[in-house]
Amino acid sequence: MPTDSQPSSPLYSTYARADLRFERGAGVWLETDDGRRFLDLAGGVAVNSLGHAHPHLVATLKHQAEKLWHVSNLFEIPGQKRLAERLAAATFADKAFFTNSGAEALECAFKTARRYHYVSGNPERFRIITFEGAFHGRTLATIAAGGQAKYLEGFGPKVDGFDQVPFGDHAALKAAIGPETAAILVEPIQGEGGVRSVPPQCLRGLRELCDAEGLLLIYDEVQTGVGRTGQLFAHQASGAEPDIMAVAKGIGGGFPLGVCLASEEAARGMTAGTHGTTYGGNPLAMAIGNAVLDVVLADGFMEHVRDMSLRFKQQLASIADRYPDIVEEVRGEGLLLGIKARVPNTALILELRVQKLLAVPAGDNVVRFLPPLIISADEVREAVSRIEAAVASLSLASVRKSA
Ligand SMILES: *Cc1c(COP(=O)(O)O)cnc(C)c1O
């Protein structure tokens, strides 16, 4: 039954939505139906990698829409081969399976890891070790992998085969490896978990541990991939390559698209008939995925992301120095940045909204900034001045309260 505070809606009540209706967007800007302009540092939670209405994506979508949208994976889809070849050329991967979302890319990753051990004569190896604070999606298997009680509660028995260890606890990790362990799954930077980076030496340590124990290393780069950190993929800064990797969000630039990448060896069990998808990798999605790569792989694009990141991070650090009562710490890499707040992160996000700037909450009381990667230096400056105004206003309010 609808309550007084929640007017009747035909939608599931799963989201506490902000009272904002956006009608159009251009670059890093979003405009509401009543004409208010917001600086979009939420970026569709790392999806709008090239901002809104990017001319190359719009042209590609229109062009492909007039040719062919969808054919079944029962037929050859040239765009898949092209996108897979380009991703393989730029990463550790040899093989790709296209999906519509991050959770589906992870489901494919889990199945790939389990099948690898199955065809290697170790069918008992099916368990995957994950880390506290992780987020891997909202399907039954991915909530089990993420291990967060708030997402598991009330949905029946947790899908078996996921063992969680505390973030950064090497002894617990070693102790969790048993004869049934198939793989270790990690986000190089926990996004939802509070913009918590795994140091490069730890990724290298995980790689060595997997090699020593005969385990597969799976990265979840759904949020961190496709240029977000100033590398095509976040782990590439460490040199520690995975066997399997889930990618989504930024690779579609707003079109639903994900991919599970794997080495030839890791994908060896995924033979004809073992997995499938109806929509995944259709011609429309592939045209757009390839168009996103046209931009992201162009000369100078990663340098731009790194340059904007440096400016943004330095200016946020300056705010942290001047308002230690509100900002505890600045975190993150590239354009996946967060500030750990000393006030409730939701209060800061509301104050940012007053300044017409959009941001997203994350765990550990963090406010996350995921601007489109095409943000300019002037727009970074504008964003920082709005963030400073919001922080200053909260700081003043807290001084008043304690006076
Ligand atoms: C968003 C996200 C997912 C889930 O992706 P969906 O497209 O929502 O299924 C998985 N892992 C990480 C790290 C994410 O940020």
Side-chain angles (χ1 to χ4, degrees), residues 320-340:
D321 285 346
R322 282 173 294 125
Y323 299 94
D325 54 330
I326 306 294
V327 180
E328 185 177 327
E329 188 184 32
V330 177
R331 295 180 176 176
E333 303 287 328
L335 292 173
L336 169 46
L337 297 177
I339 54 185
K340 184 165 162 64

Side-chain angles (χ1 to χ4, degrees), residues 17-37:
R17 294 171 194 269
D19 187 21
L20 286 171
R21 281 162 302 278
F22 295 110
E23 200 167 74
R24 61 185 69 247
V28 301
W29 297 90
L30 275 173
E31 194 177 316
T32 58
D33 55 2
D34 55 2
R36 287 174 294 154
R37 272 161 57 84

